[in-house]
């Protein structure tokens, strides 16, 4: 316990260095800008900026990516409130009440609520990040080859979770990702696999190039396909961006409930902030003493949605850091950042690299304060960003994609790989396949393969070794649950999004 407290203290000391503070400020600002722009997403922003962190120290690079993640989740609320267009899917529920407040001349109040709720949701999520992560990391120390195989299988069942609309399409996407993950030299005996005579494929597909292509460049193709248009103009507002003491006191219970909801949703692989925001909104409505205000600009609705979606951020990092299971696209990209820095998610992050990990944790806490300050002071300016035309956005993102891919190894081969995955991502979106499932399979495939082949080599080919430990059976049960989770998630999502439909019908009837 004392050792952990010492590491926490050292983490804050390192996080408070000038370079890390600048990284937090820059990352949050960039994240909010990305979040403000409809059509972009937190995953896309993190993927675009990932190559810029290569030359940074590991803790600073992760702090930048974490800051972009948090900033983008909050930034989506700005356009949701001012132009009724969520900048990210995580702010879809915020638009319901936030835009109504804007129409009533209370845009400043809505933005203040979103900023204050996002701050507390994100800050409270750090509690679980600090206390649950080391416990799971200790459990992961018991994982041998067989357990790592089942861990990979469990992670792959998340494909079903992130593809709840169609299990078949989710499995197809995952199978494609597994196939791509076999490209390169065999991890055991070094046999060439699907390299087609290209030496640069010896180490397999570069994860960062794949991420940039699937999430960023493919989105450029989608935007370019549509008619280039001007963004809806952000509503001008003159009221102050602040909350009174009584309003904060009234919203405090909503923040706490949404924090718990968001944290649980974040820890559960395959759920994500888009579901959490509706659950937080629905919970705020259920417990409100003024239910009649909902649909007409209820401040509690904005609070419930924003506190929940920001509470997801800390929770979603726990399975990724401790078990190497990225539960959603953003944490998959962040995991790619760890791997690029030569770090392997798992127990080593809390033993060998504990100093770096706790510096990142401390930075994640401080990022919430930067988000509160920058968000409150810059909302009026960020509001104008939502008006940026696609004619400007498309070439800017394209240039960043090319530069980011080339900067990895300063090799045009990486740019070609990025473009191939961009086309793949575009076609997958057209056929309603899941790009996140490809990423998860691409990362978890090698983990599962090494575990299986390692276990069989040690046991002399005895398949019984895969079922010999209690941990293996726990993971098997979790995998079975993961396979059937789409049905549960579909019911869950239908229930929480049903609230939005009711509210929108109420609005249209007014």
């Amino acid at each position: 316990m004392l050792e952990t407290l010492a590491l926490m203290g050292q983490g804050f000391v390192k996080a408070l260095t000038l370079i890390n503070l600048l990284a937090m400020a820059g990352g949050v600002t960039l994240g909010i800008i990305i979040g403000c722009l409809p059509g972009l997403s937190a995953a896309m922003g993190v993927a675009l900026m990932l190559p810029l962190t290569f030359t940074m120290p590991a803790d600073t690079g992760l702090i930048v990516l974490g800051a972009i993640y948090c900033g983008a989740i909050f930034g989506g609320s700005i356009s949701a409130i001012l132009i009724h267009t969520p900048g990210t899917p995580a702010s879809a529920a915020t638009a319901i009440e936030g835009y109504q407040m804007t129409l009533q001349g209370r845009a400043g109040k809505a933005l203040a609520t979103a900023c204050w709720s996002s701050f507390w949701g994100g800050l409270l999520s750090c509690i679980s990040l600090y206390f649950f992560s080391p416990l799971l990391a200790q459990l992961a120390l018991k994982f041998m080859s067989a357990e790592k195989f089942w861990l990979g299988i469990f992670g792959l069942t998340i494909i079903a979770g992130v593809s709840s609309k169609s299990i078949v399409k989710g499995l197809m996407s995952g199978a494609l990702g597994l196939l791509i993950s076999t490209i390169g030299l065999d991890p055991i005996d070094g046999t060439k696999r699907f390299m087609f005579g290209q030496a640069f494929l010896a180490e397999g597909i570069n994860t960062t190039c794949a991420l940039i292509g699937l999430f960023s460049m493919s989105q450029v193709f989608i935007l370019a396909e549509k008619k280039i248009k001007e963004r809806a103009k952000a509503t001008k507002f003159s009221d102050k961006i602040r909350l009174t003491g009584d309003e904060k006191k009234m919203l405090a219970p909503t923040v706490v409930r949404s924090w718990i909801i968001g944290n649980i949703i974040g820890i559960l692989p395959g759920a994500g902030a888009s579901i959490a925001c509706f659950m937080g909104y629905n919970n705020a409505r259920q417990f409100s003493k003024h239910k009649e205000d909902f649909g007409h600009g209820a401040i509690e609705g904005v609070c419930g949605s924003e506190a929940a979606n920001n509470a997801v951020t800390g929770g979603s990092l726990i399975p990724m850091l401790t078990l190497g299971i990225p539960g959603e696209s953003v944490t998959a990209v962040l995991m790619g950042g760890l791997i690029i820095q030569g770090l392997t998610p798992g127990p080593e992050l809390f033993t060998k690299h504990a100093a770096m990990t706790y510096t990142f944790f401390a930075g994640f806490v401080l990022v919430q304060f930067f988000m509160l300050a920058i968000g409150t002071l810059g909302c009026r300016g960020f509001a104008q960003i939502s008006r940026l035309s696609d004619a400007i956005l498309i070439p800017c993102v394209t240039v960043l994609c090319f530069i980011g891919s080339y900067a990895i190894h300063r090799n045009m081969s990486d740019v070609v790989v990025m473009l191939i995955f961009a086309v793949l991502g575009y076609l997958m979106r057209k056929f309603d396949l899941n790009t996140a499932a490809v990423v998860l399979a691409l990362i978890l495939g090698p983990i599962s393969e090494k575990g299986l082949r390692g276990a069989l080599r040690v046991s002399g080919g005895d398949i019984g070794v895969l079922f010999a430990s209690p941990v293996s059976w726990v993971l098997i049960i979790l995998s079975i649950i993961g396979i059937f989770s789409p049905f549960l998630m579909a019911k869950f999502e239908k229930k929480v999004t049903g609230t939005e439909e009711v509210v929108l019908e109420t609005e249209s009837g007014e």
Side-chain angles (χ1 to χ4, degrees):
M1 183 63 182
L2 291 175
E3 184 180 354
T4 302
L5 290 174
L7 286 169
M8 290 169 63
Q10 291 171 11
F12 273 98
V13 171
K14 291 183 179 179
L16 287 168
T17 58
L18 180 60
I19 183 65
N20 284 335
L21 291 174
L22 290 174
M24 293 172 208
V28 168
T29 303
L30 189 58
I32 294 176
I33 291 173
I34 291 169
C36 283
L37 291 167
L40 305 190
S41 66
M44 180 178 174
V46 176
L48 273 176
M49 295 300 111
L50 187 57
L52 299 181
T53 65
F54 292 166
T55 57
M56 299 179 184
D59 50 8
T60 304
L62 288 174
I63 286 172
V64 170
L65 298 179
I68 294 172
Y69 180 18
C70 293
I73 296 294
F74 160 67
S77 67
I78 297 176
S79 54
I81 289 169
L82 296 178
I83 61 176
H84 206 199
T85 305
T88 61
S91 296
T94 306
I96 300 173
E97 305 298 333
Y99 188 63
Q100 287 297 315
M101 293 179 70
T102 296
L103 295 178
Q104 297 166 12
R106 296 191 294 151
K109 185 72 69 179
L111 290 169
T113 303
C115 192
W116 185 81
S117 304
S118 297
F119 164 72
W120 279 108
L123 186 64
L124 291 172
S125 75
C126 296
I127 295 175
S128 58
L129 185 62
Y130 264 109
F131 293 104
F132 290 165
S133 296
L135 294 175
L136 278 177
Q138 289 177 11
L139 174 64
L141 285 171
K142 300 179 181 179
F143 286 17
M144 303 303 288
S145 293
E147 287 81 5
K148 288 180 180 178
F149 164 69
W150 287 116
L151 181 65
I153 294 297
F154 170 53
L156 291 171
T157 61
I158 296 170
I159 291 169
V162 298
S163 312
S164 56
K165 292 182 180 179
S166 173
I167 301 175
V168 174
K169 289 183 177 180
L171 293 176
M172 288 173 60
S173 303
L176 177 60
L178 285 175
L179 179 63
I180 294 172
S181 73
T182 61
I183 294 174
L185 297 177
D186 183 286
I188 304 297
D189 54 28
T191 303
K192 294 180 180 180
R193 302 189 302 193
F194 309 113
M195 289 175 56
F196 306 103
Q198 301 297 319
F200 76 94
L201 291 176
E203 296 181 2
I205 294 295
N206 187 286
T207 307
T208 307
C209 293
L211 290 169
I212 293 173
L214 286 171
F215 290 108
S216 302
M217 197 64 194
S218 64
Q219 183 63 31
V220 169
F221 292 161
I222 296 293
L223 292 174
E225 184 183 35
K226 299 175 182 178
K227 182 180 179 180
I228 294 179
K229 59 184 181 301
E230 293 291 327
R231 298 286 185 199
K233 291 188 176 181
T235 304
K236 292 183 179 180
F237 56 98
S238 56
D239 58 323
K240 293 183 179 179
I241 304 174
R242 66 181 181 86
L243 292 175
T244 65
D246 289 339
E247 287 170 332
K248 291 178 181 178
K249 186 177 179 180
M250 178 192 72
L251 295 174
T254 302
V255 168
V256 174
R257 290 193 301 269
S258 292
W259 157 54
I260 295 172
I261 291 169
N263 246 218
I264 294 172
I265 292 297
I267 294 171
L268 291 175
S274 56
I275 292 177
C277 75
F278 280 107
M279 289 189 65
Y281 173 81
N282 191 46
N283 181 267
R285 186 170 182 270
Q286 289 175 339
F287 284 88
S288 175
K289 296 179 181 179
H290 307 283
K291 292 183 175 62
E292 68 279 1
D293 291 340
F294 279 76
H296 306 283
I299 191 173
E300 292 167 281
V302 175
C303 176
S305 170
E306 286 301 304
N309 63 26
N310 280 270
V312 167
T313 56
S316 65
L317 292 174
I318 295 173
M320 186 273 285
L321 293 172
T322 58
L323 303 176
I325 298 178
E328 57 170 351
S329 53
V330 183
T331 47
V333 180
L334 287 169
M335 185 171 170
L338 276 172
I339 295 170
I340 287 166
Q341 292 284 359
L343 303 170
T344 303
E348 281 193 357
L349 290 180
F350 297 86
T351 53
K352 185 178 178 181
H353 304 291
M356 182 279 300
T357 302
Y358 279 94
T359 300
F360 170 56
F361 284 2
F364 202 75
V365 172
L366 296 173
V367 158
Q368 313 305 324
F369 290 91
F370 275 93
M371 183 173 68
L372 177 64
I374 294 172
T376 303
L377 296 175
C379 269
R380 295 182 191 278
F382 290 129
Q384 304 309 311
I385 295 171
S386 61
R387 301 172 61 180
L388 190 64
S389 169
D390 285 344
I392 299 173
L393 187 61
I394 290 172
C396 289
V397 175
T398 302
V399 170
L400 286 173
C401 288
F402 275 83
I403 293 175
S405 302
Y406 180 78
I408 299 171
H409 296 123
R410 296 185 179 180
N411 191 327
M412 284 302 295
S413 299
D414 289 331
V415 177
V416 173
V417 170
M418 182 273 292
L419 288 172
I420 291 172
F421 274 89
V423 174
L424 177 64
Y426 171 79
L427 293 174
M428 289 184 69
R429 294 187 188 207
K430 282 296 177 183
F431 289 100
D432 201 25
L433 296 174
N434 196 293
T435 53
V438 173
V439 173
L440 292 176
L442 190 61
I443 292 174
L444 294 172
I447 295 173
S448 189
E449 181 188 6
K450 289 178 183 177
L452 174 62
R453 296 179 65 181
L456 293 177
R457 288 190 67 175
V458 170
S459 65
D462 181 11
I463 198 171
V465 70
L466 299 176
F467 306 92
S469 73
V471 175
S472 292
W473 278 105
V474 170
L475 290 169
I476 290 170
I477 294 170
L478 289 174
S479 298
I480 294 171
I481 294 172
I483 292 171
F484 290 100
S485 65
F487 303 104
L488 299 174
M489 294 302 296
K491 278 188 175 182
F492 218 28
E493 191 170 2
K494 184 178 180 181
K495 182 179 178 181
V496 297
T497 54
T499 304
E500 180 191 19
E501 293 175 4
V502 172
V503 172
L504 291 177
E505 286 177 7
T506 303
E507 291 177 5
S508 61
E510 287 295 323

